[in-house]
Amino acid sequence: MIDKSPSSLSRRAVLGGIGTAFVLPRRTLAAADERAVLQARPGSAKLLGADGPETAIWGYGGGAPGPVLRVRQGERVRVLLMNGLAQSTTVHWHGIRIANAMDGVPHLTQRAVEAGQTFDYDFAVPDAGTFWYHPHQRSYEQVARGLFGALIVEERQPPQVDQDLVLVINDWRLGGDGAFSDKTLGSAHDRAHAGRLGNRITVNGATLPVLPTRTNERLRLRLINASSARVLKLVLEGAAATLIATDGQPVGPTPAETYADGLTLGPGNRADVIVDVIGRLGEAITLTDVFAKRQELARLVIAGGAARAALLATPIVLAPNPVAEPAATATTTIDIVMTGGAKNEMDMSFNDTSKPAWFLNGVAGMGAAPLFAAGRGETVAIRLVNDTAWAHSMHVHGHHFRLAARSSGKRIDPFWLDTVLVEKGETVTIAFAADNPGKWMIHCHMLDHQAAGMDTWFSVG
Ligand code: C2O
Ligand code: CU
């Protein structure tokens, strides 16, 4: 994901005056004996810049993203959700291998929290890493309107970095006046095609934010794709960078050159990247999305004197989290065949929004019975067969999995994931040890697809 060549550094030298001043998301410490309050409510945001119009959004505390919740590995997270919306909601803690009752899935793990009501979330966090939270009720609407935030679980011994930057990336569909496009929410087109793609990408709720950095600084970037449907392919230009975690789980330091054509993050995916800043005063490192068209998302501008005489030399190796490896031979092997959806961009045959558009093994939506039941500790292998004309970002609750095979021949890294982008026509095999008892969802994280039938569940006994 990196272009380290010195020429790109000078080409990328910053001109100044572009972008908005950087505002880090508000930070809340939910320490052992502290309870954070998350109020889901209407609010407003300057998505188009400080001089732009206000956009009416929904957000935790009225802003998007919501506050960064930071805890230490092994501590409890205690959050009081207050529902200030006019509809019911929940909070799902994406990627946390959580106790089932706290997973935030209405009808499956809890009752939806009605307007004006509250819910106490209280859970332990077994893994250090970059996670996030969002509603699991009408998420195609609630997430699209701005309800999401980062949940950071710090290592017991955090690695030495000069800045730990949380970058929550999402897109918005706005009218020319900057107003949130209400009338296209859950549209027949979006449900059966690629989902709700926005026309404005923001990082921490700002268009092209500029962050200050210094020569020889070491940064940890925590990249989160909170988009409702947009796939990101991220490139960092003008820096030496190293991938150290995917979906919250440590990976051996992997030079970002490995992803020279971009690090792919489907909706729901996260990546932790170490950046060692090698430029000179006034130069910039850019975070660019190259998935559809090249679009700069954020800039790190070298301002002020050098942080130290030389770069920190020792690579960061995070201690592994206590995730159980799947056995080489699975006890349970399941096919999940995705069908439905439009055949191509012009196909409007799924024009009735009261009917499902997508099916998993021929069934739309959550059945009364689980798709499969696994014994506790069994290894489950799932073949995710994408027999549709669209990509799907498939998320498993309560567990992290290994990629075992990909029919497309795309590279398979030995990384843990909780969400995997399955390309159209592709079959991806995942494997995990089903060691977390309860009822867990598997669904597409393109949220209009989820709402239009692309969700199911399994049980671990
Ligand atoms: Cu991030 Cu079931 O979702
Ligand atoms: Cu999908």
Side-chain angles (χ1 to χ4, degrees), residues 22 33 148 302 304 347 369 381 414 442:
F22 190 74
D33 47 359
F148 50 80
I302 301 176
D347 175 8
I442 299 178

Side-chain angles (χ1 to χ4, degrees), residues 186-188 191 350-357 359 364 451-453:
S187 76
R191 312 166 85 232
F350 289 91
N351 56 4
D352 181 351
T353 56
S354 69
K355 297 213 179 81
F359 307 87

Side-chain angles (χ1 to χ4, degrees), residues 191 193-195 338 358 386 388 390-394 422 443-450 454:
R191 312 166 85 232
H193 292 75
M338 308 169 218
W358 305 96
N386 184 352
T388 78
W390 307 88
H392 302 287
S393 199
M394 299 301 289
V422 185
H443 65 89
C444 181
H445 223 289
M446 274 106 174
L447 301 172
D448 287 89
H449 293 179
Q450 179 194 354
M454 223 170 192

Side-chain angles (χ1 to χ4, degrees), residues 100-431:
N100 193 237
M102 294 288 124
D103 198 41
V105 178
H107 315 299
L108 196 67
T109 69
Q110 70 166 95
R111 273 217 199 95
V113 183
E114 297 302 327
Q117 303 296 300
T118 64
F119 191 89
D120 254 303
Y121 288 98
D122 183 343
F123 54 92
V125 283
D127 302 332
T130 301
F131 303 96
W132 66 298
Y133 61 91
H134 62 78
H136 225 289
Q137 176 80 325
R138 285 178 70 86
S139 38
Y140 73 94
E141 171 172 25
Q142 296 188 7
V143 176
R145 287 187 183 277
L147 286 162
F148 50 80
L151 170 57
I152 305 302
V153 183
E154 293 174 346
E155 291 77 18
R156 291 196 171 89
Q157 264 139 13
Q160 191 202 340
V161 295
D162 299 300
Q163 296 193 63
D164 182 328
L165 299 170
V166 177
L167 303 182
V168 185
I169 307 167
N170 79 301
D171 64 347
W172 307 82
R173 190 181 296 172
L174 305 178
D177 53 356
F180 182 87
S181 174
D182 291 275
K183 60 179 191 302
T184 59
L185 262 177
S187 76
H189 180 275
D190 293 345
R191 312 166 85 232
H193 292 75
R196 184 183 176 86
L197 294 170
N199 48 18
R200 172 65 57 157
I201 306 182
T202 60
V203 176
N204 296 342
T207 300
L208 192 52
V210 174
L211 303 80
T213 182
R214 302 200 292 163
T215 303
N216 294 337
E217 249 194 342
R218 175 166 276 185
L219 315 173
R220 179 179 189 163
L221 305 186
R222 300 177 184 266
L223 305 164
I224 301 174
N225 186 357
S227 304
S228 297
R230 179 176 296 274
V231 176
L232 297 168
K233 209 166 185 192
L234 299 175
V235 177
L236 275 165
E237 288 165 310
T242 311
L243 180 69
I244 58 163
T246 55
D247 285 357
Q249 302 294 350
V251 303
T254 306
E257 289 95 317
T258 317
Y259 303 94
D261 60 344
L263 181 66
T264 300
L265 296 185
N269 280 137
R270 290 89 63 213
D272 287 40
V273 174
I274 296 295
V275 174
D276 289 304
V277 179
I278 53 177
R280 288 189 302 267
L281 191 65
E283 292 178 337
I285 296 162
T286 56
L287 177 67
T288 302
D289 173 43
V290 297
F291 181 71
K293 58 173 186 185
R294 276 187 76 83
Q295 190 170 356
E296 253 185 66
L297 303 183
R299 264 182 202 184
L300 291 151
V301 177
I302 301 176
R308 57 178 61 80
L311 290 174
L312 293 173
T314 342
I316 287 180
V317 183
L318 298 173
N321 285 315
V323 189
E325 282 291 344
T329 316
T331 319
T332 308
T333 301
I334 299 287
D335 277 9
I336 298 185
V337 182
M338 308 169 218
T339 55
K343 294 289 163 272
N344 54 56
E345 196 50 50
M346 303 316 294
D347 175 8
M348 286 304 292
S349 46
F350 289 91
N351 56 4
D352 181 351
T353 56
S354 69
K355 297 213 179 81
W358 305 96
F359 307 87
L360 299 174
N361 293 352
V363 178
M366 308 275 285
L371 185 75
F372 64 92
R376 191 169 178 181
E378 280 180 15
T379 288
V380 175
I382 302 178
R383 280 166 26 100
L384 298 162
V385 182
N386 184 352
D387 193 11
T388 78
W390 307 88
H392 302 287
S393 199
M394 299 301 289
H395 173 44
V396 177
H397 282 216
H399 300 78
H400 277 74
F401 53 78
R402 296 284 198 193
L403 284 189
R406 286 201 97 124
S407 67
S408 63
K410 276 176 64 175
R411 58 179 290 130
I412 301 172
D413 297 301
F415 301 160
W416 291 109
L417 297 170
D418 58 46
T419 304
V420 61
L421 189 72
V422 185
E423 305 290 352
K424 63 178 171 186
E426 192 187 18
T427 295
V428 171
T429 307
I430 63 173

Side-chain angles (χ1 to χ4, degrees), residues 17-21 45-55 176-178 200 206-207:
I18 304 173
T20 45
K46 292 263 194 184
L47 303 172
L48 303 178
D51 304 329
E54 298 261 351
T55 303
D177 53 356
R200 172 65 57 157
T207 300

